[in-house]
Amino acid sequence: MPGPRWRGNFKERGHRMTGPRDAILDVVNKKQGHLTADDIFFEVRKSYPGIGIATIYRTLDLFVRMGLVNKFDFGGGKSRYEFTSKEKHHHHLVCKNCGRVVDYDSFLDEETELIKKIEAELNRKHDFKIDSHQLDFYGLCKSCQREVK
Amino acid sequence: MPGPRWRGNFKERGHRMTGPRDAILDVVNKKQGHLTADDIFFEVRKSYPGIGIATIYRTLDLFVRMGLVNKFDFGGGKSRYEFTSKEKHHHHLVCKNCGRVVDYDSFLDEETELIKKIEAELNRKHDFKIDSHQLDFYGLCKSCQREVK
DNA sequence: TCCTTTATTGATAGTGATTCTCATTATTAT
DNA sequence: ATAATAATGAGAATCACTATCAATAAAGGA
Ligand SMILES: [Mn+2]
Ligand SMILES: [Mn+2]
Ligand SMILES: [Zn+2]
Ligand SMILES: [Zn+2]
């Protein structure tokens, strides 16, 4: 029997399923979160010691193109990767001091409705073909609120 | 009579108004858009030839802290700076292919209302003190829609 | 205006994340 | 198994941005 559907359709898309790709996919699947390339590098080395950092970047880029992983940039100079779960669409809350990232999914129905309207309007007015959006909130997390006066 | 209010209150905040700062402020004010540090560097050199790139970065950082300029990261590896106009709050539409950035301000009332609700909820639920948000749409601009099939 | 204090600047070296190059290796189809 | 070639790892190269530091120039007072 074939692997789970979420493992992607490599063959069908002309890609080979290799050891490094399998190991990286495992890591982003198990370690939920908003991982940096380095986080993933160090974790993958446990199960695939010889892997190189270039392979991490190349593979993450491939996964993003395949829709298996989402890439984010919350500032701070490092890209962050998150497994594209089958779960709820969500957005992010970023602490400007410590970089902590929290998922949230409040008011999704209202948001979805508004987003849909905006997308239609932007499509019409600016002739843009929109395929994604990102709504982030920035501020200070609980512990950073005291530290930073 | 003192300079326009938008030039900021340097003295009051303990900063000196200098030639480089004046030249940079002029550029970000006149050349509206979403400029990179390099865009600004090359433009400022016309009126202030001896300026160094480090001063561009330092000054933009100061302007951001003073609220005169907003700093964005739309991906692509370069920060983008936009003069904080007194005009409407707006968000961005980014072409994933050519990097073009378009301002939009549709459905602002509805958006503001929703954002306010979300902020209150996030504040309550996650104990975050939110001070800004960013809503970006990503897609393909008109001309890039054909190029990239 | 001249002087003193010290914030600011420019040149340049340094940093850190990401990408590129290329010889070697591993997959896939036959 | 073999051939064709996609993928990998090591390390060099990029590139945006930051840190360092001696020289310069605002600001305020005499
Ligand atoms: Mn998330
Ligand atoms: Mn804008
Ligand atoms: Zn924090
Ligand atoms: Zn475009």
Side-chain angles (χ1 to χ4, degrees):
Chain A
M1 102 189 47
R5 183 105 203 79
W6 60 260
R7 284 198 160 267
N9 41 334
F10 287 82
K11 227 166 268 179
E12 295 91 281
R13 298 188 49 157
H15 301 298
R16 297 176 180 178
M17 177 41 86
T18 67
R21 287 176 181 173
D22 195 58
I24 294 169
L25 198 46
D26 265 353
V27 165
V28 294
N29 176 43
K30 281 176 191 151
K31 292 212 93 173
Q32 305 284 109
H34 309 88
L35 308 168
T36 64
D38 242 45
D39 292 337
I40 296 167
F41 181 46
F42 283 113
E43 194 63 26
V44 171
R45 279 210 280 192
K46 294 177 187 169
S47 61
Y48 200 99
I51 198 160
I53 186 69
T55 300
I56 300 289
Y57 280 106
R58 275 188 299 238
T59 303
L60 287 171
D61 186 62
L62 174 67
F63 288 176
V64 168
R65 278 181 280 125
M66 292 177 72
L68 290 171
V69 162
N70 278 122
K71 179 179 183 179
F72 293 101
D73 194 339
F74 300 124
K78 302 179 190 178
S79 293
R80 299 199 166 254
Y81 301 87
E82 183 178 48
F83 187 71
T84 303
S85 71
K86 305 291 162 300
E87 305 170 44
K88 263 187 189 162
H89 173 75
H90 67 270
H91 290 298
H92 299 104
L93 190 49
V94 183
C95 177
K96 288 162 85 169
N97 187 239
C98 69
R100 184 172 322 197
V101 178
V102 175
D103 293 335
Y104 79 85
D105 56 12
S106 305
F107 301 105
L108 271 191
D109 291 343
E110 288 166 74
E111 185 196 300
T112 302
E113 198 181 338
L114 177 59
I115 293 284
K116 207 172 290 178
K117 285 204 301 194
I118 295 177
E119 285 192 357
E121 174 74 359
L122 292 176
N123 206 311
R124 191 183 64 68
K125 194 185 287 180
H126 299 288
D127 216 330
F128 248 79
K129 187 167 170 259
I130 294 159
D131 55 38
S132 65
H133 66 272
Q134 191 172 345
L135 174 55
D136 303 322
F137 287 87
Y138 295 89
L140 291 178
C141 74
K142 186 172 185 174
S143 56
C144 288
Q145 280 174 46
R146 342 185 153 77
E147 289 178 31
V148 181
K149 184 61 58 64
Chain B
M1 122 199 12
R5 184 105 203 78
W6 60 261
R7 286 203 158 261
N9 42 333
F10 287 82
K11 228 166 270 178
E12 297 91 282
R13 298 188 48 158
H15 301 298
R16 297 177 180 176
M17 176 42 86
T18 67
R21 288 176 179 173
D22 194 58
I24 294 169
L25 197 48
D26 265 352
V27 166
V28 295
N29 176 41
K30 282 175 189 150
K31 292 213 94 174
Q32 304 284 110
H34 309 89
L35 307 168
T36 64
D38 243 43
D39 291 338
I40 296 167
F41 182 46
F42 282 114
E43 193 63 27
V44 171
R45 280 210 281 191
K46 294 177 187 169
S47 62
Y48 200 99
I51 199 159
I53 186 67
T55 300
I56 301 288
Y57 281 106
R58 276 187 300 238
T59 304
L60 287 172
D61 186 61
L62 174 67
F63 288 177
V64 168
R65 277 181 281 125
M66 293 179 70
L68 290 171
V69 161
N70 279 122
K71 179 179 183 178
F72 294 101
D73 193 339
F74 300 125
K78 302 179 189 177
S79 293
R80 297 195 168 258
Y81 301 86
E82 183 179 47
F83 187 73
T84 304
S85 69
K86 306 292 163 302
E87 305 170 42
K88 265 186 188 164
H89 174 74
H90 68 271
H91 290 298
H92 299 105
L93 190 51
V94 183
C95 177
K96 287 163 85 170
N97 187 239
C98 69
R100 185 172 321 195
V101 178
V102 175
D103 293 335
Y104 78 84
D105 57 12
S106 305
F107 302 105
L108 271 190
D109 291 343
E110 288 167 73
E111 186 196 298
T112 302
E113 197 181 338
L114 177 59
I115 294 285
K116 208 172 292 178
K117 284 206 300 195
I118 296 177
E119 285 192 357
E121 174 75 359
L122 292 177
N123 206 312
R124 192 183 63 71
K125 192 183 291 179
H126 299 288
D127 216 328
F128 248 80
K129 186 167 171 260
I130 294 160
D131 55 38
S132 66
H133 66 272
Q134 191 172 346
L135 173 55
D136 304 322
F137 286 87
Y138 295 88
L140 290 178
C141 73
K142 187 171 183 175
S143 55
C144 288
Q145 280 174 46
R146 345 185 150 77
E147 290 177 32
V148 181
K149 184 59 60 60

